[in-house]
Amino acid sequence: MNVLVLNMGMKSIRSIIFDENGKKLSNASRTLTSAINETRVEQYLDEWWEKAIEVMKASIQDAKIQKVDYITATTSASCLACVDSDGNPLGNAIMVSDKRAMVEANKIKQSMFYEDIKKDTGLEVSASLMLPKILWVKNHEPEMFEKTRY
């Protein structure tokens, strides 16, 4: 049994293959491009897909195996990728360190439910979380929001 772990990190994408005993058989990685300015940090979904294929092929070839039994994917937290019902990207991925949803995060803090939720969870809301990012897309990219299925 062989397990392939595809890890989508902030700076690179990696593929690591393990055997049934947890021994690492091979790995491959490629650097990812980030578009960064004062408030935005984005990555390109087409590049994610292209480089995922590259690293998986490279690690399979390096491991000299005929098949992979299981594939699992891990990613950075709170990265928003809007795709349509066919799985096509509708824009760039909004990364965890993106700060453009500050207004949306502040509106959530003003909600009458926020203090109770904060008390129950111990979590502060910030622009880096998923809900403010989704609200930002809804408020600033309504056509993308409407087309987003996943």
Side-chain angles (χ1 to χ4, degrees):
M1 176 186 73
N2 297 308
V3 177
L4 185 149
V5 177
L6 182 65
N7 176 256
M8 313 272 292
M10 290 294 295
K11 296 180 181 181
S12 66
I13 184 168
R14 295 171 289 284
S15 173
I16 308 166
I17 298 178
F18 298 93
D19 69 11
E20 67 271 4
N21 297 314
K23 179 183 173 194
K24 183 167 78 171
L25 301 178
S26 68
N27 67 292
S29 68
R30 300 288 184 275
T31 302
L32 291 170
T33 306
S34 294
I36 302 172
N37 69 22
E38 303 82 43
T39 57
R40 293 179 181 231
V41 181
E42 298 180 346
Q43 289 183 349
Y44 310 103
L45 296 177
D46 288 336
E47 181 184 26
W48 282 6
W49 183 248
E50 291 166 12
K51 290 188 175 176
I53 299 298
E54 286 179 25
V55 296
M56 288 189 290
K57 282 182 180 179
S59 63
I60 290 168
Q61 289 172 350
D62 185 51
K64 298 175 180 56
I65 58 175
Q66 297 301 310
K67 74 173 192 161
V68 171
D69 298 290
Y70 300 97
I71 297 176
T72 186
T74 61
T75 64
S76 298
S78 295
C79 296
L80 180 63
C82 297
V83 297
D84 67 15
S85 58
D86 295 322
N88 298 311
L90 296 171
N92 296 331
I94 301 174
M95 304 305 288
V96 63
S97 49
D98 189 288
K99 301 293 183 225
R100 73 185 94 169
M102 296 287 281
V103 169
E104 287 75 12
N106 287 332
K107 284 184 180 179
I108 292 169
K109 285 181 183 179
Q110 295 170 8
S111 162
M112 62 188 220
F113 303 107
Y114 175 69
E115 287 302 321
D116 289 337
I117 294 169
K118 180 180 165 188
K119 183 180 171 186
D120 290 345
T121 65
L123 299 174
E124 292 276 344
V125 70
S126 73
S128 66
L129 296 177
M130 192 61 73
L131 182 57
K133 285 180 174 67
I134 293 168
L135 290 173
W136 186 92
V137 171
K138 181 179 182 184
N139 295 335
H140 298 276
E141 300 283 347
E143 187 174 313
M144 180 190 300
F145 184 81
E146 288 301 317
K147 290 180 181 177
T148 299
R149 174 64 188 244
Y150 305 105

